[in-house]
């Protein structure tokens, strides 16, 4: 029994020694370098087990391995024995396991880790974190896009672990987070030393369409284009260049976002303080057109002071025309100051006010009755528009085209471009209207009735007989005698008792130059003759009859 017991004890001790001395596969073990040959290190891992490891596994990327016989190293035992009877070991895998333990602790504690960029892959770079390989996305290399990463290769520097998965072997790191944290600390320090209203020197770092970023010594401030100068600046590159040192004033500091607004014009005198003294109302000045819009043009009176010439104040005659067809950018123009609003920093200017009103000029040189000549510019349903001097138009109404025909009929004789003659009948400067008359050119009526006055007795010739009266002619002037005016005696008021060609004495009751008509009446002539006879030869109150009076009048004439 004692012999059997001793054998069991020996077997147990032997198994225990195997468990103690024999390393377990898949673990990190300590070994001693026996020799270095053919680019490999021969390592004794105990229990008479040896393995080979490439020397490159003992150095960081880009470094030369320094390994001597007798050095103690840690390796990863992948397999106790291979076909050659050697242990399969790896220094790289040992470093990786060691690194993962260290990195997991750093990730949990949100600590930075040290590493070196050693390769480029799609979308970013590979980083050696002391045995573990991590991925550095391109967007996490720097706070701004990096075109050349060459200077960063192989350089040991801190990184922040963003994400890691040991089971999948994935680690994502960021260099940008470290830089942003450093910049934030630096920005906080610089901002703490700045105050609103302070004037500081800075270097133009970047220029955009809306402004420029100025480096104030570790922190950037935005110099907006509207704060660069009192005058209009179309693009910051007009007055700034990258790398230029400029003096700026701190306008506003946002303590939460660390954003700084800067200004340059605030260090200069505000030209609007003296605008009212320099540019009084109705004064005329020469300015330069800086910008043209649909509603007008901006004119610079002096650097920092611009006024608007509204489209309605640009020309006396050109209506509904784009301002760009009247003035051009950079053109020197004379303008009149119409209104100043210093609170809103606005100046209203007029361009047409520096020129004479063409309607006033026309009224002075063309009083009513003046003949004019012009081209038919437009034909409308109510008349003709005729082009006149000073680039203005006059209108001939339908009723002023012809004496003899209706306007709708007479206007058919005209076409655009026809040169016509007319007479000025009225000029309304305030309403900018000029009335013309074509029919007024025909003064034959005036010539015919020049000596005829109301009450005159004239001889006319019957030219037509109608139911309502008769048409007569006097020296070419047509007139119409109504039935009621044909006789004092109602029985004789019959048009048919007259014949074409008859000569009649009639009394003129009206002379209308506008309608070119004579008011004529036989009845009025008879009444006038009777009245005259009564006055000369007797009164109806004396008992004498009208026949007696007219008989006496006839005898007197004999």
């Amino acid at each position: 029994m004692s012999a059997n017991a001793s054998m069991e004890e020996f077997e147990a001790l032997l198994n225990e020694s195997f468990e103690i001395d024999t390393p377990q596969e898949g673990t990190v073990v300590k070994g001693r370098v026996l020799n270095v040959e053919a680019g490999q290190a021969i390592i004794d891992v105990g229990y008479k087990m040896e393995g080979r490891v490439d020397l490159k596994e003992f150095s960081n990327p880009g470094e030369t391995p320094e390994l001597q016989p007798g050095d103690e190293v840690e390796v990863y035992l992948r397999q106790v024995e291979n076909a050659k009877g050697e242990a399969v070991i790896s220094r790289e895998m040992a470093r990786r396991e060691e690194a993962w333990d260290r990195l997991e602790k750093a990730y949990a504690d949100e600590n930075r880790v040290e590493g070196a960029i050693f390769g480029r892959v799609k979308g970013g770079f590979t980083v050696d974190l002391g045995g573990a390989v991590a991925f550095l996305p391109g967007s996490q290399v720097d706070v701004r896009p990096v075109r050349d990463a060459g200077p960063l290769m192989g350089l040991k520097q801190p990184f922040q672990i963003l994400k890691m998965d040991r089971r999948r072997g994935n680690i994502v790191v960021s260099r940008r987070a470290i830089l942003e944290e450093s910049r934030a600390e630096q920005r906080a320090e610089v901002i703490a030393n700045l105050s609103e209203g302070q004037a500081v020197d800075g270097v133009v770092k970047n220029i955009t369409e809306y402004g420029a970023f100025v480096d104030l010594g570790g922190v950037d401030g935005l110099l907006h284009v509207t704060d660069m100068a009192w005058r209009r600046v179309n693009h910051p590159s007009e007055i700034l260049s990258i790398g230029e040192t400029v003096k700026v004033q701190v306008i506003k500091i946002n303590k939460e976002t660390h954003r700084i607004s800067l200004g340059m014009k605030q260090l200069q005198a505000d030209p609007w303080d003296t605008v009212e003294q320099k540019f009084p109302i109705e004064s005329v000045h020469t300015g330069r057109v800086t910008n043209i819009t649909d509603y007008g043009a901006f004119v610079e009176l002096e650097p920092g002071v611009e006024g608007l010439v509204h489209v309605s104040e640009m020309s006396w005659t050109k209506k509904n025309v784009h301002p760009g067809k009247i003035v051009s950018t950079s053109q020197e123009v004379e303008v009149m100051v119409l209104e100043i609003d210093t609170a809103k920093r606005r100046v209203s200017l007029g361009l047409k006010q520096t020129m004479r009103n063409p309607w006033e000029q026309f009224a002075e040189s063309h009083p009513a009755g003046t003949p004019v000549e012009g081209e038919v510019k437009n034909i409308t349903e109510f008349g003709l528009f005729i082009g006149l001097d000073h680039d203005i138009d006059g209108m001939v109404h339908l009723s002023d085209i012809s004496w003899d025909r209706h306007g709708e009929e007479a206007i058919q004789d005209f076409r655009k471009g026809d040169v016509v003659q007319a007479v000025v009948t009225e000029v309304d400067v305030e309403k900018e209207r000029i009335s013309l008359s074509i029919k007024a050119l025909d003064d034959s009526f005036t010539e015919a009735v020049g000596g005829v006055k109301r009450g005159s007795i004239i001889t006319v010739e019957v030219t037509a007989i109608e139911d309502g009266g008769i048409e007569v002619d006097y020296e070419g002037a047509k007139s119409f005698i109504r039935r009621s005016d044909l006789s004092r005696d109602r029985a004789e008021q019959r048009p048919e008792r007259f014949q074409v060609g008859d000569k009649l004495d009639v009394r003129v009751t009206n002379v209308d130059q506008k309608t070119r008509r004579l008011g004529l009446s036989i009845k009025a002539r008879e009444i006038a003759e009777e009245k005259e006879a009564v006055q000369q030869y007797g009164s109806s109150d004396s008992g004498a009859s009208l026949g007696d009076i007219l008989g006496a009048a006839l005898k007197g004439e004999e």
Side-chain angles (χ1 to χ4, degrees):
M1 291 292 292
S2 60
N4 291 335
S6 61
M7 286 296 293
E8 289 177 358
E9 290 175 358
F10 176 76
E11 185 176 354
L13 291 171
L14 183 63
N15 290 335
E16 184 179 348
S17 67
F18 281 161
E19 291 176 0
I20 294 173
D21 295 334
T22 304
Q24 184 178 355
E25 291 182 352
T27 60
V28 177
V29 299
K30 288 187 177 181
R32 184 170 56 84
V33 179
L34 299 177
N35 196 10
V36 177
E37 60 180 29
Q40 292 183 321
I42 301 173
I43 300 174
D44 178 12
V45 294
Y47 200 63
K48 296 183 180 181
M49 289 193 301
E50 298 176 357
R52 295 173 179 269
V53 180
D54 290 339
L55 289 179
K56 64 181 181 180
E57 293 190 24
F58 290 90
S59 64
N60 293 322
E63 298 179 358
T64 302
E66 296 180 359
L67 199 64
Q68 301 293 333
D71 291 347
E72 285 194 355
V73 295
E74 288 187 341
V75 293
Y76 183 83
L77 181 62
R78 299 175 59 187
Q79 189 176 347
V80 173
E81 187 177 3
N82 61 8
K84 295 181 180 181
E86 296 179 343
V88 180
I89 57 178
S90 169
R91 169 61 184 163
E92 185 176 317
M93 295 182 70
R95 290 176 67 238
R96 187 179 302 158
E97 290 296 314
E98 178 187 334
W100 272 94
D101 292 339
R102 173 172 51 82
L103 295 175
E104 282 184 334
K105 186 175 185 307
Y107 180 56
D109 297 338
E110 296 184 355
N111 293 331
R112 301 176 182 179
V113 295
E114 192 176 68
I117 301 173
F118 69 89
R120 184 188 293 272
V121 294
K122 184 178 180 180
F125 302 88
T126 51
V127 180
D128 179 24
L129 299 177
V133 177
F135 173 63
L136 173 64
S139 61
Q140 296 297 322
V141 177
D142 206 330
V143 291
R144 290 187 176 88
V146 176
R147 295 183 179 180
D148 182 15
L152 300 176
M153 291 295 212
L155 181 66
K156 283 195 174 183
Q157 52 192 317
F159 293 90
Q160 187 74 42
I161 300 175
L162 301 180
K163 184 172 64 175
M164 65 184 302
D165 186 339
R166 187 163 188 166
R167 185 173 62 84
R168 296 183 178 181
N170 293 335
I171 304 176
V172 179
V173 295
S174 170
R175 178 174 176 267
R176 175 178 176 174
I178 304 296
L179 297 176
E180 287 180 342
E181 186 176 341
S182 300
R183 283 169 60 87
E185 295 174 357
Q186 188 178 17
R187 285 172 65 90
E189 182 180 351
V190 173
I191 290 174
N193 296 324
L194 293 176
S195 60
E196 293 182 1
Q198 181 181 355
V200 294
D201 291 327
V203 179
V204 179
K205 196 171 184 181
N206 190 25
I207 294 177
T208 67
E209 290 186 0
Y210 54 86
F213 288 94
V214 179
D215 185 358
L216 303 179
V219 60
D220 291 348
L222 174 62
L223 175 60
H224 197 270
V225 64
T226 57
D227 289 312
M228 291 183 178
W230 290 109
R231 67 178 179 85
R232 178 188 295 271
V233 179
N234 293 318
H235 195 277
S237 59
E238 292 179 9
I239 56 177
L240 295 176
S241 57
I242 294 177
E244 179 184 357
T245 300
V246 294
K247 184 171 284 294
V248 293
Q249 184 181 81
V250 179
I251 299 176
K252 188 177 181 181
I253 300 175
N254 190 319
K255 300 291 185 181
E256 295 180 359
T257 62
H258 288 181
R259 290 182 179 176
I260 302 173
S261 298
L262 305 174
M264 283 175 63
K265 72 180 185 182
Q266 286 76 7
L267 298 174
Q268 305 165 1
D270 187 351
W272 279 89
D273 293 341
T274 57
V275 164
E276 290 183 330
Q277 291 75 28
K278 287 185 178 180
F279 308 101
I281 303 297
E282 294 188 356
S283 60
V284 177
H285 305 271
T286 300
R288 181 177 61 88
V289 178
T290 58
N291 191 28
I292 297 175
T293 67
D294 291 338
Y295 52 85
F298 288 91
V299 176
E300 184 183 61
L301 299 177
E302 69 172 11
V305 178
E306 280 187 348
L308 172 65
V309 182
H310 192 267
V311 64
S312 62
E313 306 294 346
M314 294 194 124
S315 173
W316 290 108
T317 57
K318 296 178 181 177
K319 311 293 185 182
N320 302 320
V321 176
H322 192 276
K325 294 186 178 180
I326 300 175
V327 295
S328 57
T329 306
S330 300
Q331 179 183 347
E332 297 283 339
V333 294
E334 273 198 344
V335 290
M336 178 181 287
V337 179
L338 304 180
E339 184 181 352
I340 296 177
D341 189 337
T342 52
K344 295 182 179 179
R345 304 172 76 90
R346 292 178 182 173
V347 178
S348 297
L349 303 174
L351 188 64
K352 71 182 184 182
Q353 285 78 0
T354 61
M355 314 167 199
R356 280 205 66 187
N357 186 331
W359 278 274
E360 288 182 357
Q361 287 180 277
F362 189 88
E364 290 177 6
S365 58
H366 298 78
T370 305
V372 292
E373 184 177 87
E375 182 181 319
V376 177
K377 296 291 186 181
N378 195 19
I379 300 175
T380 68
E381 60 182 9
F382 49 83
L384 304 171
F385 284 91
I386 311 298
L388 303 173
D389 295 341
H390 309 297
D391 201 24
I392 58 180
D393 292 345
M395 192 190 79
V396 180
H397 193 268
L398 287 177
S399 61
D400 286 312
I401 296 178
S402 175
W403 292 109
D404 305 320
R405 294 188 294 167
H406 291 294
E408 292 81 358
E409 178 186 352
I411 201 171
Q412 302 298 323
D413 296 340
F414 298 91
R415 299 289 182 269
K416 277 188 181 181
D418 288 352
V419 176
V420 298
Q421 292 181 332
V423 172
V424 177
T425 57
E426 184 185 6
V427 179
D428 190 330
V429 176
E430 187 176 338
K431 294 182 179 179
E432 298 182 347
R433 292 178 184 173
I434 298 175
S435 300
L436 305 176
S437 174
I438 293 177
K439 71 181 185 181
L441 291 170
D442 182 8
D443 59 354
S444 58
F445 177 78
T446 304
E447 294 177 359
V449 300
V452 177
K453 298 180 180 179
R454 184 176 180 181
S456 301
I457 304 296
I458 60 174
T459 302
V460 298
E461 181 180 346
V462 179
T463 57
I465 297 172
E466 300 178 7
D467 290 340
I470 60 174
E471 185 183 81
V472 296
D473 175 83
Y474 175 72
E475 301 294 337
K478 298 289 186 181
S479 186
F480 188 79
I481 303 175
R482 295 174 299 175
R483 175 188 284 267
S484 60
D485 286 315
L486 291 179
S487 178
R488 181 174 180 275
D489 186 354
R490 290 180 63 86
E492 297 299 321
Q493 292 176 352
R494 295 176 290 105
E496 58 271 19
R497 72 187 182 89
F498 299 96
Q499 293 184 358
V500 174
D502 285 354
K503 303 288 186 178
L504 305 174
D505 288 338
V506 296
R507 182 182 176 90
V508 178
T509 58
N510 186 33
V511 179
D512 192 338
Q513 294 285 351
K514 289 187 177 180
T515 60
R516 290 167 58 95
R517 289 285 179 179
L518 285 174
L520 304 177
S521 173
I522 298 174
K523 175 182 178 180
R525 188 210 74 200
E526 292 175 345
I527 293 174
E529 288 177 348
E530 178 183 342
K531 184 176 181 181
E532 184 179 354
V534 169
Q535 289 176 349
Q536 289 184 16
Y537 299 103
S539 170
S540 57
D541 294 336
S542 64
S545 66
L546 179 60
D548 295 336
I549 294 172
L550 290 179
L554 290 174
K555 287 181 180 180
E557 288 177 3
E558 293 177 356

